[in-house]
Amino acid sequence: MTHQPTDTPQFYLTAPAPCPYLDDRFERKVFTHLVGDRAASLNDILTQGGFRRSQNIAYRPACEGCRACISVRSVVDAFVETRSMSRVMRKNRDIIGSNKAAAPSSEQYSLFRRYLDSRHAEGGMADMSVLDYAMMVGESYVATELVEYRFRGPDSAFTGRGEGPLIAAALTDVLADGLSMVYSFYDPDYADRGLGTYMIVDHLNRARKMGLPYVYLGYWVEDSPKMDYKRRFRPQEHLMARGWVRVD
C-alpha cells in the first residue's frame, strides 16, 4: 500500500453549482486545506497560482469549458492614481486605517451585516451568521490582519488610529510578494465616498511602504458588471495559461 505524506496537500473538486457571475452557467472549484506549519508558504504558492483563500480553504475555479475567471494582481510600484481615484482619496482624507490582529468583534459583524443587507442581499454570503463571520476572520493558519477604518481624531497623528465608530474594514493576507485582499466591507451610509476604491488604493500604498510588489484583487470576469471595477487599478497582471501577463 502506498502512503501519502501527511503534510502533502490533498486537492478536491466540488460538485457543479450555479455560477454567481454569469447567468446560465455552472461553476466547480478545486480546493485544498491550509493547516499546519506549512500553511503560510502553501498559501503563498497557491495565491501566485491563482487560488484564493476562505478561512482554512484555498480554492480556484475549475469549471468545465469555461475560463472566464481571471486572477488579477495590481503592480504596486507602477501604479498611478487616476483623477477619479485622487478625488476619492481627497474626499476620505479624514479617515485613517489601522492594522490589528485578525480577531472578530461584534462591531465588525454589525457593519458586515449592514453591508451585506444593503449591497449583496441576494449573494452567497447573505445568510452568514455571527459564528460564520467569526470563522471567516479568526480561523486562519496564515499571516492575516484586519485593517479597520475610522474617522481621524485629535490624537490620530500620534497613535496612528482613528476614533469613533467603524466605517470600513478589510481582511487581508500578508504574502511574501504582496497583500491579498480577502474581503472588504463598509458602512452603506457612506456609499458616496467610494470606500471600496479608497481601500484598494490604501492597500496599494501600504504594500509600497512594505516593499511588496503586488496587491492581489481576486478574480475578474470580463462579462460580469460587478467585477468590472477591478480593471481600473492598473497596471496589473492577469494569470493566463502561460503565466502572469502585464496589462497596462
Side-chain angles (χ1 to χ4, degrees):
M1 180 182 295
T2 301
H3 293 278
Q4 194 78 5
T6 57
D7 60 351
T8 300
Q10 305 292 305
F11 290 88
Y12 308 90
L13 189 64
T14 65
C19 177
Y21 306 119
L22 299 175
D23 295 335
D24 302 322
R25 298 199 191 184
F26 287 84
E27 68 167 0
R28 302 190 76 178
K29 296 175 182 176
V30 59
F31 70 94
T32 189
H33 297 276
L34 296 169
V35 294
D37 296 337
R38 297 183 58 192
S41 59
L42 179 60
N43 189 44
D44 280 355
I45 293 169
L46 292 178
T47 301
Q48 293 165 9
F51 280 71
R52 294 287 286 168
R53 184 183 72 82
S54 176
Q55 297 174 217
N56 292 328
I57 298 291
Y59 67 91
R60 67 167 297 171
C63 308
E64 297 178 6
C66 180
R67 296 295 181 268
C69 291
I70 297 175
S71 294
V72 173
R73 64 187 186 187
S74 290
V75 181
V76 170
D77 286 345
F79 171 74
V80 177
E81 293 177 12
T82 64
R83 289 183 179 180
S84 63
M85 290 176 191
S86 295
R87 286 195 295 270
V88 167
M89 300 309 287
R90 288 194 299 271
K91 182 180 290 188
N92 291 291
R93 59 179 176 267
D94 57 345
I95 292 175
I96 185 170
S98 59
N99 299 52
K100 60 171 292 183
S105 71
S106 58
E107 183 184 31
Q108 292 166 20
Y109 179 71
S110 177
L111 181 61
F112 174 75
R113 187 72 264 161
R114 290 182 59 216
Y115 173 78
L116 288 182
D117 292 343
S118 174
R119 307 280 297 188
H120 302 287
E122 304 299 325
M125 302 174 72
D127 59 349
M128 284 183 65
S129 68
V130 64
L131 178 59
D132 295 327
Y133 176 81
M135 294 174 63
M136 181 180 80
V137 173
E139 189 171 324
S140 172
Y141 284 81
V142 306
T144 306
E145 62 186 21
L146 196 77
V147 185
E148 291 190 340
Y149 297 89
R150 303 176 190 270
F151 284 114
R152 292 180 182 273
D155 298 326
S156 294
F158 304 102
T159 65
R161 297 189 299 273
E163 299 180 3
L166 186 65
I167 297 171
L171 184 64
T172 304
D173 286 350
V174 182
L175 309 174
D177 68 344
L179 299 178
S180 177
M181 299 185 70
V182 177
Y183 196 79
S184 59
F185 53 96
Y186 56 83
D187 190 333
D189 290 344
Y190 296 104
D192 61 338
R193 281 177 168 259
L195 290 171
T197 295
Y198 171 77
M199 284 190 280
I200 294 177
V201 175
D202 181 65
H203 274 67
L204 285 158
N205 292 333
R206 289 171 180 272
R208 182 180 291 113
K209 292 177 181 178
M210 297 169 69
L212 298 173
Y214 303 111
V215 170
Y216 288 84
L217 300 178
Y219 300 117
W220 167 68
V221 179
E222 184 174 12
D223 295 325
S224 175
K226 68 175 69 174
M227 290 289 198
D228 198 52
Y229 73 93
K230 296 184 181 182
R231 297 188 65 185
R232 299 169 53 221
F233 302 91
R234 299 191 180 193
Q236 56 189 215
E237 295 181 358
H238 294 182
L239 185 58
M240 310 304 287
R242 296 186 177 181
W244 291 96
V245 176
R246 175 82 167 239
V247 178
D248 291 310

